[in-house]
Amino acid sequence: MLGRIAAAWGLIGVFLFLASAIYKLAIISWQLLALELELYHWLAIVIWVVFMGYYEGYQGFQKGFSPRVAARIHFLVQNVTYKRLVLAPLFCLGFFDAERRRIIFIICLSLGIVLLVKAVEHMPMPWRGIMDVGVVVGLSWGLISMLIFTAKAFYCSSFNHSAEVPHRELDTATSK
């Protein structure tokens, strides 16, 4: 029972994290509609949306983040601890109980994102809105792909993505 609660909390927590970012950035992006944009602005929007859709949405989320998060959500059902239960969203994101290089990568990526967000906040309109439109597309792709991969993890026998937990964790989980 605790495993199912942890998995649900992990899914809900990651979902809310991504959804809140999408919501906040979408509000800023909508401000573009009130502006008179030049052709080069529209061209920048199209190029940026395609770029972010491919690199953030497809490459970053669909090929890496989403299957791993879904596998870690599924892993929680049978491998819950009190720490994982309480911090399930952080576990699902890979901040702990992961290989050392994955944890370092996640921390560095998170810090990089925070710095980029702070830099973009100081951009004037319409450029900030253009940047945010692309990020909304990438994050939305990521949120949808995470939900699809999570459903596959629970309902498809062919789901074979790794939760990327340390080998000692797998050894303990398989001996139960």
Side-chain angles (χ1 to χ4, degrees):
M1 181 65 158
L2 283 180
R4 291 180 189 268
I5 293 169
W9 168 223
L11 175 62
I12 292 167
V14 175
F15 177 89
L16 291 175
F17 174 70
L18 294 174
S20 68
I22 292 167
Y23 177 76
K24 289 173 186 175
L25 295 175
I27 289 173
I28 296 166
S29 299
W30 278 106
Q31 294 175 15
L32 287 174
L33 296 175
L35 302 175
E36 289 193 30
L37 300 177
E38 300 292 330
L39 180 61
Y40 66 92
H41 291 125
W42 288 108
L43 185 59
I45 290 170
V46 170
I47 291 170
W48 185 241
V49 164
V50 169
F51 178 85
M52 291 301 285
Y54 181 76
Y55 285 104
E56 183 183 14
Y58 178 71
Q59 289 290 331
F61 279 102
Q62 187 174 330
K63 291 294 196 182
F65 175 87
S66 296
R68 185 175 43 258
V69 168
R72 289 175 76 83
I73 290 168
H74 189 261
F75 181 83
L76 278 174
V77 174
Q78 296 297 320
N79 302 284
V80 68
T81 63
Y82 288 112
K83 178 180 176 183
R84 289 179 186 157
L85 173 64
V86 173
L87 302 174
L90 295 175
F91 170 79
C92 293
L93 291 170
F95 280 100
F96 65 93
D97 288 347
E99 297 290 340
R100 182 181 190 95
R101 68 175 180 75
R102 172 61 57 193
I103 293 171
I104 292 169
F105 176 79
I106 294 295
I107 291 170
C108 290
L109 180 64
S110 299
L111 291 174
I113 291 170
V114 168
L115 292 174
L116 281 173
V117 166
K118 291 299 176 190
V120 170
E121 284 177 352
H122 297 292
M123 293 177 81
M125 278 300 222
W127 299 108
R128 177 173 181 191
I130 291 169
M131 296 295 288
D132 289 345
V133 167
V135 174
V136 166
V137 168
L139 289 174
S140 297
W141 190 318
L143 182 63
I144 292 165
S145 68
M146 184 197 70
L147 293 173
I148 291 169
F149 276 106
T150 301
K152 286 181 178 181
F154 283 92
Y155 300 111
C156 293
S157 60
S158 63
F159 187 82
N160 59 355
H161 297 280
S162 172
E164 294 188 13
V165 293
H167 292 296
R168 63 181 160 72
E169 294 288 335
L170 289 176
D171 294 340
T172 305
T174 56
S175 65
K176 288 184 181 179

